[in-house]
Amino acid sequence: MTSATHSPKILVTGGAGFIGSHTVVALVEAGFEPVIVDDLSNSLASVLNGLRAILGRDVPFYQANCNDRAAMQAIFEREALTGVIHFAAYKAVGESVAKPLDYYQNNLGSLLLLLDLMNEYKVHNLVFSSSCTVYGQPEHLPVTEETPRLPAQSPYGNTKAIGEDMIRDAVRANLPIKALALRYFNPIGAHPSAEIGELPLGVPANLVPFITQTAAGMRASLTVYGDDYNTPDGTCVRDYIHVVDLAEAHVQALRKLSETNADASYDIINIGTGRGETVLNVIKTFEEATGVSVNYSIGPRRPGDVEQVYADVSKSNRVLNWHTTHSLAEALRDAWRWQQKIGAKVAAS
Ligand code: NAD
Ligand code: WQD
């Protein structure tokens, strides 16, 4: 037998997406055998070429919708899985307000089906993509996992809160699932090879893709949403984490789950850097790291934005034995390399 046959097989739902594809790389590098299922609703099949260029081999890929019971059952039947990382979800906050039922169906229907199949096929380990959005505007910073969740500001945010609760309740009822919900802060950057990265379709809502597209000349100017917040320079503060560091946290989460002796367990862990950065500092750091200037102006606040949020990372450091190793400047440099590689290919509508 080859060593590959012994590698723990992990189903990576949404593995063609931004965070999923970087996690696939980290998994292979750590000796796991990822199996991707993705319906390509928010990604391109060319991601598989990028993965091949980095890894020197193909990664098993199923193009299927995670809400399709027959398709998912066939994957569980065929692959001897030891764990699942559930990335697959719709994630556009604004769109979720316009199409709430699509979001509940896609994000929660898929999770429900996965829990059912994991139970049926005795696949015990689950890592769930949650989000710092569940904290809303916390009273105290940095945010620990004990910080109370606040009512969700959008159906998208609500799918993350409900998703966490669905897993918690299943574990409470002794469904044999060991699960970690990772609450990501703001993932940015790209693989340093520039073979994979973020592919925002249309006009980016997130800061860093907007910066790189503006720097590339695809957008005339970036609007900074408000400079009258109670922060060091008046602009909002976030915890921007390099996607390669975030990917590594998933490897550590799977390792942690496989060491956990209980039949059923559930825990929540913040995944961030522990550092808060203002919007203006992100722009300045981008300019310094790349030598490219960004045309921007100050505009009004964006409705729904929280003033500041950044993670207390002591639990992730302790429980996962994991630390970030990339700086903001590296993340922005890698995002820029990726932008230069893709150019205007996925340019906007
Ligand atoms: P992404 O859109 O790049 O990746 C998600 C992938 O899932 C896409 O490739 C998409 O095609 C696929 N997908 C969606 N619904 C599917 C379905 N029903 N069946 C099969 N595939 C499906 O998003 P991302 O940024 O990589 O986010 C991954 C996860 O992390 C999501 O659950 C998201 O909510 C969560 N998250 C993201 C961020 C962020 O800022 N990017 C922050 C916190 C949490
Ligand atoms: C970052 C900062 C903006 C664009 C979103 C989701 C959240 C989570 C992470 C998934 C803010 C400012 C942005 C621009 C700007 N995703 N900004 N001009 O808002 O922290 O969170 O992604 O779970 O749910 O809401 O990220 O990248 O949109 O914004 O000034 O053109 O950049 O106001 O302060 P955010 P973001």
Side-chain angles (χ1 to χ4, degrees):
M1 267 191 198
T2 65
S3 59
T5 17
H6 291 295
S7 307
K9 244 185 210 186
I10 307 298
L11 186 66
V12 185
T13 77
F18 174 42
I19 306 169
S21 57
H22 291 81
T23 302
V24 164
V25 171
L27 287 171
V28 172
E29 286 172 349
F32 290 85
E33 181 66 27
V35 174
I36 299 174
V37 55
D38 199 301
D39 64 358
L40 303 181
S41 55
N42 197 38
S43 48
L44 301 175
S46 56
V47 168
L48 301 171
N49 301 330
L51 290 174
R52 190 184 309 115
I54 295 169
L55 297 170
R57 67 168 179 85
D58 284 322
V59 176
F61 169 67
Y62 294 90
Q63 184 171 350
N65 187 317
C66 294
N67 278 286
D68 179 341
R69 178 176 277 273
M72 292 300 285
Q73 184 137 25
I75 297 170
F76 273 78
E77 195 67 52
R78 180 159 170 195
E79 307 283 355
L81 301 171
T82 63
V84 176
I85 307 180
H86 188 38
F87 291 108
Y90 296 154
K91 63 164 182 178
V93 175
E95 184 185 62
S96 81
V97 176
K99 299 178 179 173
L101 301 187
D102 287 2
Y103 273 67
Y104 288 115
Q105 172 63 56
N106 195 54
N107 297 5
L108 296 178
S110 59
L111 177 60
L112 203 52
L113 177 55
L114 264 181
L115 290 170
D116 200 28
L117 290 172
M118 289 177 72
N119 193 27
E120 185 179 341
Y121 287 88
K122 303 193 181 347
V123 179
H124 302 302
N125 298 341
L126 173 65
V127 180
F128 175 65
S129 297
S130 191
S131 169
C132 69
T133 194
V134 300
Y135 295 118
Q137 178 58 69
E139 247 180 76
H140 303 288
L141 290 166
V143 188
T144 74
E145 292 78 359
E146 275 68 51
T147 300
R149 289 186 332 201
L150 293 178
Q153 294 294 306
S154 71
Y156 165 73
N158 211 20
T159 67
K160 293 301 171 190
I162 298 172
E164 289 185 352
D165 291 350
M166 280 166 55
I167 300 169
R168 180 204 61 199
D169 292 347
V171 166
R172 271 190 193 156
N174 286 324
L175 201 79
I177 302 277
K178 297 186 285 179
L180 284 172
L182 304 185
R183 289 178 176 161
Y184 315 150
F185 282 66
N186 288 60
I188 60 164
H191 194 267
S193 66
E195 294 290 350
I196 54 174
E198 192 168 6
L199 281 173
L201 303 173
V203 182
N206 293 116
L207 177 64
V208 171
F210 210 106
I211 289 178
T212 59
Q213 290 194 4
T214 307
M218 291 164 61
R219 313 263 160 220
S221 178
L222 165 79
T223 303
V224 173
Y225 297 136
D227 69 348
D228 57 351
Y229 288 98
N230 185 23
T231 62
D233 61 23
T235 65
C236 291
V237 168
R238 297 287 184 274
D239 184 338
Y240 297 93
I241 177 171
H242 196 306
V243 66
V244 169
D245 281 330
L246 174 57
E248 195 57 40
H250 293 79
V251 170
Q252 291 303 94
L254 284 173
R255 288 187 172 136
K256 177 70 191 170
L257 290 173
S258 63
E259 289 163 6
T260 304
N261 285 324
D263 291 334
S265 67
Y266 172 63
D267 206 355
I268 291 163
I269 304 183
N270 286 342
I271 305 292
T273 66
R275 290 185 307 274
E277 302 282 355
T278 65
V279 176
L280 289 180
N281 196 44
V282 173
I283 296 170
K284 183 167 153 270
T285 307
F286 177 88
E287 292 180 330
E288 285 167 2
T290 64
V292 183
S293 62
V294 179
N295 190 21
Y296 73 88
S297 62
I298 307 293
R301 292 181 175 198
R302 180 170 69 175
D305 263 343
V306 301
E307 181 173 273
Q308 29 186 338
V309 63
Y310 52 96
D312 182 312
V313 292
S314 42
K315 186 170 177 182
S316 62
N317 295 171
R318 183 170 37 84
V319 175
L320 299 182
N321 187 25
W322 165 88
H323 297 83
T324 55
T325 60
H326 295 80
S327 65
L328 177 65
E330 285 172 297
L332 294 168
R333 184 206 60 200
D334 290 338
W336 177 235
R337 276 196 194 149
W338 167 246
Q339 180 65 59
Q340 288 173 294
K341 167 100 185 275
I342 57 173
K345 245 194 289 182
V346 241
S349 37

